[in-house]
Amino acid sequence: MSSVSPIRRGTVRGVAGRPELRHPVNEASPDIAHTVAALRETVSGWRAAGETVALVPTMGALHDGHMALVERALANADRTVVSIFVNPTQFSPSEDLDNYPRTEAEDLLKLAAVGVDLAFMPSAAEMYVPGATTTVTVGGLSDGLCGAMRPHFFGGVATIVTKLLLQCLPDQAIFGEKDYQQLQVIRQMARDLDIPVEIVGAPTVREADGLALSSRNAYLTPAERCIAPVMHQTLLEMADRLTGDDTASIGAIISAGWQTLEKAGFQEIEYLALCDASTLAPLSRIDAPARLLVGAWLGETRLIDNILVDVPTGD
Ligand code: PAF
């Protein structure tokens, strides 16, 4: 059986016969590494051949938003690794880890169709060895916005992403701007810990009506799905007001946006904020690249979104 399918780019070297690395049984799957050792062995083979590597960390349930990150990785590097690991440490005890969507077979089909070289699919025991006590905390950036609502979340993300980066040591790791605070936390973490990986942010992919793609959209009822795009529309309207001739204060524009969301049917607005695009500190004037960020509940579903607010140039 060849390890190379006609739809995949190149060959995988230096891994034949390793029990941990599963070569595809058909063309519907990339190679799969279940252990860190198998991942490292494969990546070192590529490195020895002078090839560059990009990593796309995911928790699976891949949709077009994830696939845009994968496409970016395929375009940027010779080899692409996609990790699929539902990370328990970023879920609180009250959040339903067991019910997180798991669509492994479909995910592998999607990855094979675009020519991903390797899927890294470790078990929880592989990623968190018994007795492990080290965690990564990114101070400041993790505290507000989503972090204020889900205090466990960014510690879990920073710890698992640190591990993934050190296990794979790619040239680049690609993350979506949809989870903008997560992206900034990961950038800071890689910088602070001198992890020699370029963190690349990729633009949010949206439905035609503006709703940001998310695995959670599947939980929306048809009525909620009709309301959901109001989140993005509200951000756009607010950005227009903030950067146009509107003389209202930032506070007044945020209040108006908040009311629009409530009127549309968002029940619990966790935050709606204008922040410095890099530090995520709240802004009282726009004199640096800024980001509008929102997190709110629609029925049982928590949605988040964000957009860039262009700094007026005064021209
Ligand atoms: O964004 C996600 O899917 C996850 O938070 C990540 C970055 C894969 C870490 O588990």
Side-chain angles (χ1 to χ4, degrees), residues 57-60 66 83 85-87 90 100 153 156-157 160-161 164 175 179 182 186:
T58 80
M59 299 209 297
H66 295 113
S83 62
F85 178 64
V86 182
N87 174 33
Q90 65 193 76
Y100 192 85
F153 179 71
V157 169
I160 200 66
V161 174
L164 287 165
F175 298 87
D179 298 300
Q182 169 175 281
I186 290 168

Side-chain angles (χ1 to χ4, degrees), residues 291-307:
R291 211 91 197 175
L292 270 171
L293 302 104
V294 61
W297 288 80
L298 200 46
E300 298 298 304
T301 309
R302 183 172 175 274
L303 298 178
I304 60 170
D305 202 350
N306 70 89
I307 61 169

Side-chain angles (χ1 to χ4, degrees), residues 21-298:
L21 188 112
R22 307 280 146 76
H23 292 296
V25 283
N26 53 44
E27 291 164 13
S29 171
D31 282 347
I32 302 171
H34 290 288
T35 64
V36 176
L39 169 70
R40 287 201 168 128
E41 184 76 27
T42 303
V43 172
S44 2
W46 296 337
R47 292 288 186 208
E51 293 177 313
T52 56
V53 180
L55 170 69
V56 183
T58 80
M59 299 209 297
L62 302 180
H63 52 63
D64 287 353
H66 295 113
M67 295 313 290
L69 307 182
V70 172
E71 292 292 351
R72 174 72 86 95
L74 289 164
N76 286 7
D78 299 317
R79 297 291 187 166
T80 293
V81 180
V82 176
S83 62
I84 299 179
F85 178 64
V86 182
N87 174 33
T89 64
Q90 65 193 76
F91 290 77
S92 74
S94 66
E95 292 173 344
D96 207 349
L97 169 66
D98 291 339
N99 276 344
Y100 192 85
R102 287 164 173 86
T103 57
E104 212 170 89
E106 291 95 323
D107 291 348
L108 289 173
L109 276 174
K110 288 178 185 174
L111 298 182
V114 294
V116 162
D117 296 283
L118 187 71
F120 177 45
M121 303 172 75
S123 64
E126 178 73 8
M127 292 305 267
Y128 293 105
V129 291
T133 57
T134 304
T135 56
V136 178
T137 305
V138 180
L141 266 171
S142 299
D143 298 338
L145 307 170
C146 286
M149 302 298 146
R150 305 176 74 198
H152 58 282
F153 179 71
F154 288 116
V157 169
T159 302
I160 200 66
V161 174
T162 299
K163 287 170 72 70
L164 287 165
L165 296 182
L166 295 177
Q167 289 161 352
C168 183
L169 279 180
D171 299 277
Q172 286 189 350
I174 323 279
F175 298 87
E177 286 182 351
K178 155 82 171 37
D179 298 300
Y180 191 78
Q181 187 177 10
Q182 169 175 281
L183 173 63
Q184 291 309 103
V185 165
I186 290 168
R187 283 189 165 132
Q188 170 101 31
M189 175 205 84
R191 205 167 42 229
D192 290 354
L193 298 180
D194 302 313
I195 300 177
V197 175
E198 184 189 355
I199 306 299
V200 175
T204 303
V205 181
R206 299 183 182 279
E207 303 280 6
D209 58 13
L211 177 64
L213 294 197
S214 162
S215 317
R216 294 181 180 181
N217 296 351
Y219 301 134
L220 296 170
T221 64
E224 289 163 355
R225 176 63 190 81
C226 291
I227 298 170
V230 174
M231 183 174 256
H232 182 235
Q233 286 154 18
T234 305
L235 293 183
L236 290 177
E237 282 161 24
M238 291 173 68
D240 268 357
R241 292 189 69 188
L242 288 163
T243 56
D245 298 332
D246 203 314
T247 53
S249 68
I250 288 177
I253 292 172
I254 290 176
S255 293
W258 193 289
Q259 280 169 27
T260 306
L261 291 174
E262 278 180 340
K263 238 167 122 181
F266 286 88
Q267 290 96 350
E268 196 189 326
I269 300 163
E270 292 182 341
Y271 59 86
L272 175 60
L274 178 72
C275 296
D276 180 283
S278 155
T279 64
L280 296 185
L283 290 178
S284 51
R285 48 194 285 241
I286 306 179
D287 49 12
R291 211 91 197 175
L292 270 171
L293 302 104
V294 61
W297 288 80
L298 200 46

